[in-house]
Amino acid sequence: MTDTTQESHHTDNVQEHLKQVESLLHKHALVESVAHNQELPRQDRHALVGSLLHKQHLTELQRKLDGLHPADIAYILEALPIEQRLLVWDMVKSERDGEILIEVSDAVRESLIATMNREELRAAAEQLDTDEIADLAPDLPQNVMRDVFKSLSIEEREQLRAAMSYSEDSVGALMDFNMIQVREDVTLEVVSRYLRRFDELPDHTDQVFVVDRDDRFKGVLPINLIVVNEPEVVVGDLMLTDTIQLHPEEKADQAAQAFERYDLVSAPVVDEDGKLIGRVTVNVVLDFIRTESESDLLNQAGLREEEDIFASVWKSAQNRWTWLALNLCTAFFASRVIGEFEGTIEKFVALATLMPIVAGIAGNSANQTTTIIIRSLALGQITPGNARRLMAKELAISGLNGLVWGGIAGLFAYFLYHSVSLGVVMTSAMLLNLTVGAIVGMAIPLIMQRFGRDPAIGSSVMITAITDSGGFFIFLGLATIFLI
Amino acid sequence: MTDTTQESHHTDNVQEHLKQVESLLHKHALVESVAHNQELPRQDRHALVGSLLHKQHLTELQRKLDGLHPADIAYILEALPIEQRLLVWDMVKSERDGEILIEVSDAVRESLIATMNREELRAAAEQLDTDEIADLAPDLPQNVMRDVFKSLSIEEREQLRAAMSYSEDSVGALMDFNMIQVREDVTLEVVSRYLRRFDELPDHTDQVFVVDRDDRFKGVLPINLIVVNEPEVVVGDLMLTDTIQLHPEEKADQAAQAFERYDLVSAPVVDEDGKLIGRVTVNVVLDFIRTESESDLLNQAGLREEEDIFASVWKSAQNRWTWLALNLCTAFFASRVIGEFEGTIEKFVALATLMPIVAGIAGNSANQTTTIIIRSLALGQITPGNARRLMAKELAISGLNGLVWGGIAGLFAYFLYHSVSLGVVMTSAMLLNLTVGAIVGMAIPLIMQRFGRDPAIGSSVMITAITDSGGFFIFLGLATIFLI
């Protein structure tokens, strides 16, 4: 549903558009403040000038916005603080509302939808394809969805129901219904005539799909083959049958990997009866991959979801609290582990200065191991055949690290406190805790995967908890035995 | 250069292929071990049976490999331990070497190239397009590159030189030269006749490029428009001129964002004189985005580069050492900060148990701030106009977190050690250190960006160093003043 012929493409740089809009908003705001300043003399005159200028800036802004691609407007909306965002949103022509709502992030979409009434929302949704309405549905009030549903044709209702029935991370959620279907017994001439009846083909139509009378999928016919072959060739002789087929319940991630591996632009989605029910296109896959990789980065820092950078302090804080609460609990636990050794620390206070080193380095090393394992798991590269080898390798690396970095840390301790046994305790504790780190760094993601959970979420808290508490316990425990 | 009609597409699941290959290799290895077992009686007979079975498994493996898509073979090579990997690599038909080398990761590519001689490498490189040779070039020995260069046409040499001249993160590095060019004064009929002279169009040809006599870019003509319009229409009347143009020196990331935003399949690359010099296609952009997001995740854990999971312990350890060494230095520093307060800790050993909490929570919170900032920087959403608002917001969140989590930690300290002043010191230290975390969490990525460095690399070590040492200093410092 995107129009690729917008004026915006003249400048490739969307940041440029953002700056222009900001500057117009700024001028507008200045005029506003002059016009509303009650302390100025000859207030009426100022207000008049103000309102003229005001109108001029707004007209300019309106013209600028009308020339922008919906995706660029979405970008600008995301980068504006809330009151300016809503001012711009009010100025966007209402017939573009739907397209823009599809483009913005979930957090910003919420802030925009909150300002719209039932009628506006219905109108916005009705501009969209059924698969796009399905994407928007979770954010729309029920009564709006009921209105929208009523306005659809029977076929579209069926599509909307189907699109909404698949889970968010399945192929069904990426699917659209804009595929062109032909029969295998016609000639390219007939296909070409059929295609010419469209004003334009749906976006990303690199191939048409060949189906039989019962809509059963037979193969694909790339548009490029239509172009390079003579009109009298029959579709059945030219179509490709050995092509990838997606299934609506399949994991979206699997489909994304297929797109990457086989360089696809579109792929058919086929149900269990072999019927063609939709297609997936590369632009949706690109968005999916970007969103996934962003949520990986956000999850690693314990941010539950994407954050509207202009969300309220309260809302942002909530997004971050689960993580901090969890970390506080593990920190309390580690603190109690240290507490068990207060007697030892009292006798040898150097231990307090050295213990964070043991905990910290093992935590870093364990997180390196986990990162490697999670990545290999995501690529499906860990098999029963090679898991043991990997484990052995990670243990060997941790042993090597323990000798090298533990050795250096031991020397550090020795030179500071002139105690050989302290140095030996330090090195041994580092070696042991790095080994613990390697084991949990491998085991935790593997166990999470086994139980069907995403190993990228939450692994690092658990690992750090274990290398922290474990590090304190090992180091202070060894010290209690050998130094006191 | 990928053939999308391979047998492999029957099964969508590449893991299935991997399992089959592994099982064939396993059978092969069993037979090998029987055949070579010196202790067996009637050794000759066993060896004979062995070599027959041996051959049978290898033939089956060969047949399996021949049926696979190059990308699937690349995937399998990555998931196999080194000796099995090289066995499979030897069995791959040499005319597919080039395509497969392009598909594997850098680390695995190195291990494969190491086994090939000059002649094999030359042959592999010559199967590739010039833009692909450029991708391979850094891994090829100089004399091989000289051989390859000699075998190219003058035009191809020019292309290779151009492709190699752009930096790795520029549009030029993503560019290929497989674009079809037409003139604006011809009819679609003429274009169609021209296209029919190709056996097949280059991959991802969703549009042909319109140029003038001097190769200057005029516009694009989508294939879909050729299909839906009558043959007598003239190219100039139909072509789109308001289309996105990339420049070879532009950042690849900018181009990737344009592909995402405008849902492109291909885009022209134009030099400063307005001449069309190449194109970028969505499959390359997809690979780029995936690689970028992976290296973000790897960098966050301090892995310098992608690791071949079967690399030697020594090689893997080296990949991880810079990070561990850096962290060890900051840990030593933090340890010395604590060392300055040994007298205080001796008098009040509870401080040693509580200090990791102050350091840890602020580190977590600061990394959340940094993650948000890095993401907003990457999207270009931070402008001089909104930076101050963001700073205010992050400070407010850290204040709120300080009161909530600092308050809880203060209560924890109070109930454990029955000292009101210890509780107050704990809460104040948390509040202060969370504020320090918010400031450095914002400032460090912004400063790195200002100095043209990638804020995603290394920010977190610096931030953790500051929240650790800072946390110890603030907590123990306050304790020294108010508790002793």
Side-chain angles (χ1 to χ4, degrees), chain A residues 12 75 245 306 375 379, chain B residues 12 75 245 306 375 379:
Chain A
D12 300 350
Y75 176 88
Q245 298 174 25
E306 206 179 336
R375 185 176 134 69
L379 292 174
Chain B
D12 300 351
Y75 175 88
Q245 299 175 24
E306 205 178 338
R375 184 177 136 67
L379 292 174

Side-chain angles (χ1 to χ4, degrees), chain A residues 10-84:
Chain A
H10 272 308
T11 336
D12 300 350
N13 202 329
V14 70
Q15 272 96 322
E16 209 38 60
H17 297 313
L18 174 58
K19 272 193 207 131
Q20 290 166 17
V21 170
E22 272 190 333
S23 120
L24 286 168
L25 283 167
H26 185 64
K27 281 185 202 150
H28 167 66
L30 274 185
V31 173
E32 283 260 284
S33 72
V34 169
H36 288 94
N37 193 331
Q38 300 293 328
E39 288 173 23
L40 275 179
R42 284 173 293 166
Q43 183 202 330
D44 292 343
R45 205 183 122 212
H46 270 275
L48 188 67
V49 172
S51 99
L52 278 174
L53 263 175
H54 182 151
K55 270 196 194 131
Q56 187 198 319
H57 292 316
L58 286 187
T59 315
E60 207 176 323
L61 184 57
Q62 179 82 59
R63 204 177 314 122
K64 176 80 196 159
L65 290 174
D66 289 348
L68 288 178
H69 189 284
D72 290 336
I73 296 183
Y75 176 88
I76 289 170
L77 288 170
E78 304 217 346
L80 290 177
I82 193 84
E83 60 279 26
Q84 299 187 356

Side-chain angles (χ1 to χ4, degrees), chain A residues 33 67 82 206 217 278 280-281 291 304 311 321 333 347 386 422 443 445:
Chain A
S33 72
I82 193 84
D206 66 321
F217 177 75
V280 173
T281 55
T291 311
R304 275 188 306 173
W321 276 0
F333 182 78
K347 287 187 201 124
N386 64 25
L422 178 63

Side-chain angles (χ1 to χ4, degrees), chain A residues 216-228:
Chain A
R216 240 177 284 274
F217 177 75
K218 309 296 282 182
V220 300
L221 178 65
I223 298 282
N224 288 351
L225 284 186
I226 304 178
V227 171
V228 299

Side-chain angles (χ1 to χ4, degrees), chain B residues 130 134 149 152 154-166 177:
Chain B
T130 42
F149 205 75
L152 296 177
I154 294 181
E155 194 198 349
E156 287 171 330
R157 287 181 193 186
E158 207 46 63
Q159 290 175 349
L160 181 56
R161 245 188 242 117
M164 287 176 65
S165 68
Y166 300 110
F177 305 100

Side-chain angles (χ1 to χ4, degrees), chain B residues 61-119:
Chain B
L61 184 57
Q62 180 82 59
R63 204 176 315 123
K64 176 79 198 161
L65 291 173
D66 288 348
L68 288 179
H69 190 286
D72 290 335
I73 296 183
Y75 175 88
I76 288 169
L77 289 170
E78 304 218 348
L80 290 177
I82 193 85
E83 61 279 27
Q84 300 187 357
R85 182 187 294 163
L86 296 181
L87 179 66
V88 169
W89 181 233
D90 277 343
M91 297 180 71
V92 169
K93 289 240 168 65
S94 60
E95 63 264 31
R96 304 174 76 194
D97 281 0
E99 287 175 274
I100 295 168
L101 283 177
I102 285 292
E103 297 276 352
V104 293
S105 68
D106 288 356
V108 171
R109 187 185 295 160
E110 237 175 79
S111 75
L112 298 179
I113 283 181
T115 69
M116 297 169 76
N117 64 31
R118 179 171 172 176
E119 193 43 46

